[in-house]
Amino acid sequence: MSTYLDHNASTPLDERVLDQMMPYLRAHHGNPSSVYRQGRIARQAIDAARQQVAQLVNAHPSQVVFTSGGTEANNLALKGAVVAPRCVAVSAVEHASVLASAQQLAIEACQLVRIEVDKDGLITEETMSRALASAPERVSIMLANNETGVIQDIARWAEMVASSGALFHTDAVQAAGKMGVDFAALGVQMLSLSSHKLYGPKGVGALVLDKRMELAAQMVGGGQEAGYRCGTENVAAIVGFGKAAELAGLELQSRCSHMLALKQMLLQALSKVESVVVFADQAECLPNTVFLAVPGIDGETLLMEMDRSGVAVSSGSACDSQKRGASQTLLAMGIDETLARCAVRVSFGKDNTEQDIDVFMSAMVRQIKALQENSMLVWA
Ligand SMILES: Cc1ncc(COP(=O)(O)O)c(C=O)c1O
């Protein structure tokens, strides 16, 4: 029996989502661009999914562009400019797909401005003003951080960005399904989503956009997705994403209160363990995320030992797991690198139970003790 506590990396596919997808894997093989019956069935399924995804974030269906996931949506948002930008600003705690997109632009003579965060992982009026002073044409700030769960005040920053005349993108991949996300109220021009973070299939996501802005496709071809993202649509995955989005909307309140109760239980239990540090505990955070460290115990080592006990947690962003360095998010918050290397992320899902917290806590306490006894401390 394993205990899965890494939902920010990916979530299990909801059975109800799988049921919805199956006919599009088995029977309905038509190309949605075909005009005959099989094609129309696929097209209608995509249209329905577009509506479901739009509804989750209070957008119009025509604003939803399906992509191959959050990474592609972020690439499109940052790089999809008709005229190459002279300057872009991204927060210091963005996901690798935003940071790398911005860095790619920087190779092409675009100035890259980093919006710093404070010790709680939050952007401030001062860091925002400093970044806007460089007159960026595109700004990207994530709604909720994948490692700390810290939620940024996007609506507030959107006003500042709007008065500077720049376009504003937010990566809402971790936020959707764990808090209310309202595209219209946030005041951004682009918003990224990913299906596999909300119990949908992997390899599908969306960029929600203000159609008044111009966006250049990164994937050109047959004109699918209104020309913003060409390529034959992954119909079954899009259907699954739609169903997952619908369920996330319908069950948002119950999921959030359930996960928050688990989080409070975990924080309470952690407060009894000597020297445990919980990062960003002063900021508003997602209800499912706890980023912690046991000083002196390497996060990677602890998570490997936890894995042996059947508990899946992570030492930070799964997408950055090839790079074994300290969490860039923690470093940006001014956390000492030695402590940042001890970080372990716990992220709950809708189906976790109180028992999972008990299993996690006893495994962690046991492993900490064993590591300390075996002197496997990386830093004494
Ligand atoms: C904040 C954030 N943005 C983007 C992504 C990338 O999404 P995808 O895995 O769908 O490419 C992730 C995935 O971990 C993420 O956490």
Side-chain angles (χ1 to χ4, degrees):
M1 256 279 284
S2 65
T3 303
Y4 187 76
L5 295 170
D6 197 17
H7 292 77
N8 287 8
S10 196
T11 55
L13 190 67
D14 191 306
E15 282 294 327
R16 296 166 292 179
V17 170
L18 180 61
D19 288 346
Q20 202 81 20
M21 291 170 69
M22 284 314 280
Y24 298 91
L25 291 166
R26 285 214 163 103
H28 306 314
H29 59 267
N31 186 320
S33 297
S34 300
V35 292
Y36 45 78
R37 191 173 159 273
Q38 288 95 326
R40 291 198 306 273
I41 290 173
R43 170 63 48 212
Q44 279 158 12
I46 291 176
D47 288 345
R50 203 182 300 285
Q51 206 140 18
Q52 289 164 317
V53 171
Q55 195 169 352
L56 179 66
V57 296
N58 190 30
H60 189 270
S62 66
Q63 295 179 302
V64 176
V65 176
F66 287 117
T67 64
S68 66
T71 296
E72 189 189 329
N74 285 343
N75 272 258
L76 182 56
L78 269 284
K79 298 190 283 184
V82 176
V83 179
R86 281 173 289 99
C87 178
V88 296
V90 304
S91 91
V93 293
E94 292 301 306
H95 184 262
S97 53
V98 167
L99 288 175
S101 294
Q103 278 155 4
Q104 215 169 44
L105 289 172
I107 297 170
E108 292 151 18
C110 169
Q111 186 194 353
L112 176 51
V113 175
R114 185 175 138 113
I115 312 169
E116 299 296 342
V117 294
D118 67 9
K119 62 177 183 23
D120 299 316
L122 286 164
I123 282 160
T124 65
E125 184 100 24
E126 191 205 327
T127 60
M128 198 64 193
S129 303
R130 215 182 308 139
L132 292 179
S134 302
E137 288 145 272
R138 251 162 226 240
V139 176
S140 186
I141 301 174
M142 69 200 326
L143 182 46
N145 184 268
N146 43 306
E147 294 183 305
T148 56
V150 167
I151 298 166
Q152 303 290 345
D153 191 349
I154 296 297
R156 178 175 172 203
W157 307 135
E159 282 179 27
M160 283 176 81
V161 174
S163 43
S164 80
L167 292 174
F168 194 9
H169 163 251
T170 191
D171 176 347
V173 163
Q174 291 293 345
K178 298 173 198 149
M179 60 182 275
V181 177
D182 186 324
F183 178 74
L186 286 172
V188 294
Q189 283 72 52
M190 295 172 281
L191 178 147
S192 301
L193 297 170
S194 174
S195 151
H196 75 106
K197 309 291 186 182
L198 37 86
Y199 309 92
K202 295 173 182 58
V204 61
L207 184 67
V208 181
L209 58 109
D210 180 340
K211 303 277 292 272
R212 285 169 300 189
M213 60 164 281
E214 281 191 296
L215 186 73
Q218 297 295 288
M219 204 66 79
V220 291
Q224 293 90 345
E225 294 300 291
Y228 291 115
R229 199 281 183 180
C230 300
T232 303
E233 300 89 337
N234 185 347
V235 182
I238 289 172
V239 166
F241 182 19
K243 183 66 185 174
E246 180 191 79
L247 294 170
L250 290 172
E251 297 173 3
L252 185 67
Q253 295 310 327
S254 58
R255 287 183 192 183
C256 286
S257 47
H258 173 65
M259 293 190 295
L260 194 58
L262 294 181
K263 179 170 173 171
Q264 276 155 357
M265 182 181 165
L266 175 63
L267 290 174
Q268 176 73 18
L270 287 171
S271 69
K272 295 187 186 128
V273 183
E274 210 188 331
S275 80
V276 167
V277 176
V278 176
F279 299 113
D281 60 348
Q282 298 305 307
E284 193 192 347
C285 281
L286 291 176
N288 80 318
T289 310
V290 176
F291 206 24
L292 63 100
V294 186
I297 294 190
D298 178 46
E300 286 284 329
T301 309
L302 182 57
L303 94 84
M304 296 309 282
E305 294 303 320
M306 297 290 282
D307 183 35
R308 266 193 257 273
S309 307
V311 179
V313 289
S314 89
S315 60
S317 169
C319 311
D320 283 342
S321 62
Q322 304 308 313
K323 303 175 204 147
R324 289 277 163 95
S327 155
Q328 293 303 310
T329 302
L330 292 181
L331 297 182
M333 289 161 61
I335 304 290
D336 176 69
E337 185 170 346
T338 308
L339 182 60
R341 283 182 188 277
C342 302
V344 170
R345 179 184 70 186
V346 181
S347 51
F348 312 118
K350 66 183 176 67
D351 298 318
N352 281 126
T353 61
E354 292 189 357
Q355 200 196 343
D356 293 332
I357 308 299
D358 290 338
V359 170
F360 168 80
M361 280 310 298
S362 49
M364 191 177 89
V365 169
R366 199 170 55 244
Q367 294 305 344
I368 292 173
K369 199 158 171 276
L371 287 168
Q372 284 169 340
E373 279 170 8
N374 292 339
S375 303
M376 281 179 71
L377 302 184
V378 259
W379 300 280

